[in-house]
Amino acid sequence: MGLDYSYKIFVPAHNVARALIELTKLAPPARRVTPLTVTMPGGARIDVPFTSNFKSEPLDCSTSDRLELDTSIMFGVDDAVRQFCGDRDSEPDESGRVAIGYVYLTVRFAPVPHPRFASLEFTAATSGMSRLFERSASIRAVFTGLTAASGGVCCLLDTECDTFQICWLNGESIQDAVPGPRFANYIDLVAVWPGQDR
C-alpha cells in the first residue's frame, strides 16, 4: 500500500465557496475540461475547472456533507518539484510554475469535531507525490497561501504518522506540530481557532 500524505485546510464553514474560487486560480490555464457546476450548501452555484470522480456532471451538494474533486494545481518549481517532474513534459509557465495532478480534494462542509469550520483535504495521488508534499517548500507555500486567501484558520500536513505538521495557524505561517509542546492534542489546537468560544 502506498503513501497518502495530505494537506488539510480548515476554513469557516461559510468560506468554502471562497476557498474553491481561490483554488480555481491555481488550476492550469490550458487544461481542457468541461467546467463542473457545484451547488453549495445554501444554494450558491460555482463552476470549477476540475472533475468529480473523473466526471463533469453538475453536482448538488446543497444537502450533502462532502464534495470530492480531482484537481490539478500549479506549483512553483523548486528542487523537490524539479526532481518529481523529472523527464516529464512539464515546461514551467511564465511564472515558473508547473501543473501537478491529480491531487484529490475532499471537502467536508461541517465535520463533527468542529462544525463551524469546513475542511479541505488535498491528498497526493501517489507515494512519489506524497514525498513531494513533505519535501517541497513551494508546495507548502501554495497550500498556506490558499489557506490565507480563503480566510482559513489552520493548515496541517498529514504524513500518516501520529503527529501533524502545523503549517499555518490564525493568520501566521508557522512550523509546529500537534501533538507537541504547544498543543497536547488536536482538541487543544482547535480550541485556539477564532470563534471556538461561541
Side-chain angles (χ1 to χ4, degrees), residues 31-133:
R31 188 160 185 236
R32 302 282 182 243
V33 296
T34 303
L36 173 69
T37 301
V38 180
T39 303
M40 305 293 291
R45 288 186 182 162
I46 60 170
D47 291 330
V48 294
F50 308 118
T51 56
S52 178
N53 296 308
F54 303 103
K55 299 176 185 174
S56 295
E57 284 85 10
L59 289 177
D60 185 355
C61 296
S62 58
T63 59
S64 177
D65 62 351
R66 66 192 292 159
L67 164 66
E68 294 183 357
L69 296 175
D70 322 303
T71 73
S72 183
I73 301 173
M74 300 295 289
F75 295 102
V77 177
D78 61 10
D79 288 343
V81 170
R82 190 175 295 107
Q83 183 179 3
F84 174 78
C85 292
D87 296 332
R88 294 183 200 139
D89 182 22
S90 45
E91 191 67 31
D93 68 5
E94 62 279 355
S95 301
R97 303 176 308 161
V98 295
I100 295 178
Y102 288 103
V103 177
Y104 301 115
L105 169 60
T106 300
V107 179
R108 290 180 176 85
F109 294 109
V112 172
H114 38 75
R116 285 191 288 274
F117 295 89
S119 66
L120 291 85
E121 183 173 345
F122 295 86
T123 303
T126 66
S127 293
M129 191 187 297
S130 289
R131 287 186 283 272
L132 174 67
F133 275 21

